[in-house]
Amino acid sequence: MAGNPSKLPILCLCNYYEFICTILTIATTTNSSFFATFKADSNDIPQITGVRDFFREFYSEFKKLWYLAGPAIFTSICQYFLGGITQLFCGHISTIAQAAFSIEDYVLGLFSYGAMQGMGSALETLCGQAYGAGQIDMLGVYMQRSMVILHMTALIFMFVYIFAEQILSLIGQSPEISKATGKFSIWMIPQLFAFAGIFPVSKFLQAQSKIMVMTVISAVVLVLHTLFSWLLMLKLGWGLVGAAVVLNASWWVIEISQFLYVFSGTCGRAWSGFSRRAFQNLWAFVRLSLASALMLCLEMWYFMVLIIFAGYLDNPKVSVDVISICMNILGWAVMVSMGLNTAISVRVSNELGAGHPRSAQFSLFVAVISGFLMGLVFSLILIFTRDHYPSLFSKDKQVRDLVTALTPLLAISLTTDSIQPVLSGVAVGAGWQSVVAYVNIACYYILGIPLGLILAYKFDMGIKGIWWGMISGTVVQTCVIFWMIYKTNWNNEASIVEERIRRWGGDTDTGPDPQ
C-alpha cells in the first residue's frame, strides 16, 4: 500500500471522524426554517480536511478536556474519601458503630447525595450553555434558583433522617442497629443542607472552568478531616458523635470556602449579588432538576439493586462479598470516568452556548476515545493480574476464586462503564436529561435487572448471571445514547440553546436585574 505506514492509524481515525460527521449531517437534515437559518459562529473549529488538521484539533481539544477532567477526578476522590476515612475510624470504635455509619452513609447518605447531586446537575446544562453564549450574568441567578430548590429538597429528606429508626425497623433491620443508625442519622442532618449549597456552587464554578479552586479546597479539607477524625473519634473518645461533628464540619467548610471564593469577586459578572430573579420560573427549573436527578439516581440505584439481589443467591455471604469487591473496583474506575463526565458536560454546554456545533461534536469524539482507552487500560491490568489482585480484598479462597472467574466480565464492564459516563455528560451538556431518564428505565429496569435474575435463578448462573444482566443493560443504554448522538444535528442543538437561554431569562434585552 502506498504512503507512510506510520500514518495509517491516524488516517483511519481522521477518516472515521469525517465519516461520522458526514453521516450526522445527512441523517438529521431538517426543513425547519429556524434551524435552517442557524449559522455556526466564526470561531468554531474549521472543517477537518487532513491528518495534520485532525492531529492539531485533537491535541488542542485533548488539552482543554483534561484541563477540566484532571482536577475534577482529584476532587471526586478527595470528597469520596471523607466518608471512607470516617468509616475506617468507626471500625476501630465498635461493630455497631461501623454498622450504623455504613447504613447511614451508604443508604440514606447515598440516596440524598445522589438525588441532590442529580438535581444540581441541571446547572451543568444551564450555566454551561449561558456561559458559552456570553450570558455571564445569568449564572448567578441560575445558581440561586438551584439553591432554593435544593434547600426545599433537603427539608423533605430531613424527615427521612428523623424517622430513620422507624423506617429501618419497618424493613426488618435489627433493633440495635436501627436505634444506633437512627440516632446517628439525626446528627447528620446538617450534612443535607451542606449538600444543598455545595452542588449548585460546584456546578456554577465548573461552568466557568474554575475547577482547580474546588480541588484545593477538597484536598485541604481531606487532610483536616483525617486529623480531626482521629482526634475526636479515637483520642478524645467521642465515637459516633465525633464522626458526625467532623463529617458535618468538613462538608460545611467546603461549602463556606466555595461561597467565599464566589463572593470575593473572582467570578466577575457571573456573581453580582443576590437577586429576586432567583424565584422566577422556578417550576421549569424544578422539572429540569427532577429529570437530572432521575437520570443519575436510576444509574446509581441500578448497582445497589444488584447487590441486594446477590444476597438472595445460594451462599449469600460469598455472593455479596464477590459482587461488592467487583463493584468496589468498578466504582474506582467509574470515579475516574466521572471526571470526564464533568469535563465533557462543560465542554459541550459551553460550545453549544457559544454557537460552536463542530467544536461540541469534536469534543465528544475526543472524550469517547479518551474514555475507551482508559477503560481498556484498566481492563488489561485486571486481566493480567486476575490471579493476584483478589487476595488484596479477601482471605477467603472461595471468594478469591469467584472474583478471578468474574474478572473477564468485570473487564467488559470497565470498558463500557468508562464510555457511558462520557455519553451521560454529553446528555447533561445538551439538556437531554428527561429522554435519558426514560432510556435508563427501559435499559436498566426493564431489560438489565430481569435478564440478570433470569440468568441467575432460572439458568443457575448465579453471580455471573446477575453480572451479565448488568452488562446487557449498560451496553444497550450506551448504544441507545450513541444512536441519539448519531441522529443529532448539532446546528439544531446550538439553535435550541439560543432559544432556551431566551426562555429562561438570559436575553440581554430583559432589562436590569431587580435587586
Side-chain angles (χ1 to χ4, degrees):
M1 182 179 291
N4 185 353
S6 65
K7 292 185 177 181
L8 287 179
I10 298 177
L11 274 169
C12 292
L13 204 57
C14 179
N15 291 336
Y16 172 73
Y17 170 72
E18 291 179 6
F19 169 75
I20 292 297
C21 290
T22 303
I23 291 298
L24 281 170
T25 302
I26 295 173
T28 57
T29 300
T30 177
N31 293 324
S32 168
S33 59
F34 176 76
F35 292 147
T37 58
F38 175 82
K39 298 295 184 183
D41 187 270
S42 59
N43 292 323
D44 201 0
I45 63 171
Q47 291 286 350
I48 294 176
T49 57
V51 174
R52 182 172 297 179
D53 291 343
F54 175 83
F55 185 76
R56 182 188 66 247
E57 296 298 339
F58 190 95
Y59 179 67
S60 175
E61 181 57 39
F62 186 84
K63 287 194 300 181
K64 293 176 183 177
L65 197 66
W66 280 95
Y67 174 79
L68 299 171
I73 291 170
F74 188 76
T75 301
S76 297
I77 291 174
C78 287
Q79 294 184 1
Y80 178 82
F81 264 123
L82 292 178
I85 293 295
T86 304
Q87 184 178 29
L88 179 67
F89 285 120
C90 282
H92 291 279
I93 298 173
S94 67
T95 303
I96 191 65
Q98 188 170 36
F101 175 81
S102 297
I103 293 175
E104 188 282 329
D105 194 55
Y106 290 107
V107 179
L108 299 178
L110 186 61
F111 175 81
S112 58
Y113 180 93
M116 297 176 77
Q117 169 84 304
M119 295 183 75
S121 71
L123 282 184
E124 293 185 46
T125 302
L126 297 172
C127 282
Q129 293 177 355
Y131 184 79
Q135 301 287 347
I136 310 298
D137 58 312
M138 287 304 301
L139 269 66
V141 176
Y142 289 154
M143 179 182 72
Q144 292 171 63
R145 285 178 187 169
S146 183
M147 289 179 62
V148 170
I149 293 169
L150 287 188
H151 277 88
M152 292 170 61
T153 304
L155 283 172
I156 296 172
F157 285 165
M158 180 179 68
F159 291 100
V160 178
Y161 278 58
I162 292 173
F163 296 105
E165 179 180 350
Q166 290 80 0
I167 294 172
L168 291 172
S169 299
L170 189 64
I171 63 176
Q173 190 60 257
S174 71
E176 186 180 15
I177 292 178
S178 297
K179 183 177 181 180
T181 305
K183 183 182 293 186
F184 184 68
S185 297
I186 293 175
W187 295 339
M188 291 307 299
I189 288 176
Q191 182 189 60
L192 269 177
F193 293 92
F195 289 163
I198 287 173
F199 296 142
V201 179
S202 297
K203 306 306 180 184
F204 170 82
L205 294 173
Q206 286 173 10
Q208 304 168 72
S209 300
K210 296 181 181 295
I211 298 182
M212 189 58 70
V213 65
M214 296 163 53
T215 303
V216 173
I217 291 171
S218 297
V220 172
V221 168
L222 177 61
V223 173
L224 294 175
H225 177 84
T226 304
L227 175 63
F228 281 100
S229 292
W230 170 81
L231 179 64
L232 269 65
M233 295 174 65
L234 300 184
K235 190 69 174 177
L236 298 180
W238 287 21
L240 278 178
V241 175
V245 169
V246 177
L247 197 55
N248 283 322
S250 296
W251 285 110
W252 272 95
V253 168
I254 292 175
E255 179 184 7
I256 293 170
S257 299
Q258 290 182 352
F259 269 121
L260 289 176
Y261 179 80
V262 172
F263 296 159
S264 68
T266 54
C267 297
R269 287 172 49 208
W271 176 256
S272 57
F274 292 101
S275 169
R276 291 197 299 271
R277 293 170 68 186
F279 296 93
Q280 299 173 4
N281 209 9
L282 274 181
W283 177 239
F285 209 106
V286 168
R287 291 201 305 270
L288 181 59
S289 297
L290 290 175
S292 300
L294 186 61
M295 172 184 160
L296 180 64
C297 288
L298 286 172
E299 295 177 3
M300 296 177 62
W301 297 339
Y302 181 50
F303 298 102
M304 293 170 58
V305 167
L306 292 173
I307 294 178
I308 292 173
F309 282 129
Y312 295 105
L313 294 170
D314 294 335
N315 201 345
K317 182 179 181 302
V318 171
S319 298
V320 171
D321 283 351
V322 169
I323 202 167
S324 297
I325 290 171
C326 292
M327 288 292 188
N328 190 4
I329 296 170
L330 188 62
W332 280 103
V334 169
M335 187 179 300
V336 175
S337 299
M338 289 305 291
L340 270 178
N341 173 286
T342 298
I344 189 60
S345 176
V346 172
R347 292 291 301 130
V348 168
S349 59
N350 283 177
E351 296 297 348
L352 287 178
H356 300 160
R358 287 195 299 272
S359 296
Q361 192 175 19
F362 194 76
S363 183
L364 163 63
F365 178 77
V366 174
V368 169
I369 294 296
S370 300
F372 172 76
L373 291 177
M374 284 197 311
L376 188 62
V377 169
F378 291 149
S379 299
L380 291 176
I381 291 173
L382 276 189
I383 289 174
F384 288 133
T385 61
R386 63 185 179 275
D387 294 327
H388 306 287
Y389 81 83
S391 60
L392 298 173
F393 296 92
S394 178
K395 297 179 180 179
D396 190 306
K397 186 177 185 304
Q398 189 177 2
V399 171
R400 295 202 309 268
D401 290 344
L402 196 49
V403 171
T404 299
L406 209 60
T407 296
L409 298 183
L410 180 58
I412 295 173
S413 294
L414 284 173
T415 303
T416 57
D417 286 358
S418 294
I419 297 174
Q420 189 270 342
V422 174
L423 300 181
S424 294
V426 174
V428 170
W432 301 341
Q433 289 96 324
S434 297
V435 177
V436 176
Y438 287 115
V439 171
N440 288 348
I441 291 173
C443 296
Y444 291 155
Y445 296 91
I446 297 178
L447 173 64
I449 291 177
L451 179 61
L453 295 178
I454 290 171
L455 293 175
Y457 296 102
K458 183 69 174 178
F459 293 93
D460 295 323
M461 293 178 64
I463 197 73
K464 288 185 179 181
I466 289 179
W467 203 275
W468 270 119
M470 183 190 72
I471 290 176
S472 300
T474 304
V475 168
V476 172
Q477 189 254 21
T478 301
C479 291
V480 171
I481 298 181
F482 257 127
W483 179 82
M484 290 170 58
I485 294 170
Y486 168 83
K487 298 291 290 184
T488 295
N489 185 314
W490 292 96
N491 285 344
N492 291 5
E493 290 300 318
S495 300
I496 291 170
V497 169
E498 291 181 356
E499 176 61 24
R500 178 182 291 130
I501 291 173
R502 283 195 292 268
R503 187 173 69 248
W504 287 64
D507 196 337
T508 53
D509 296 328
T510 54
D513 180 16
Q515 297 292 336

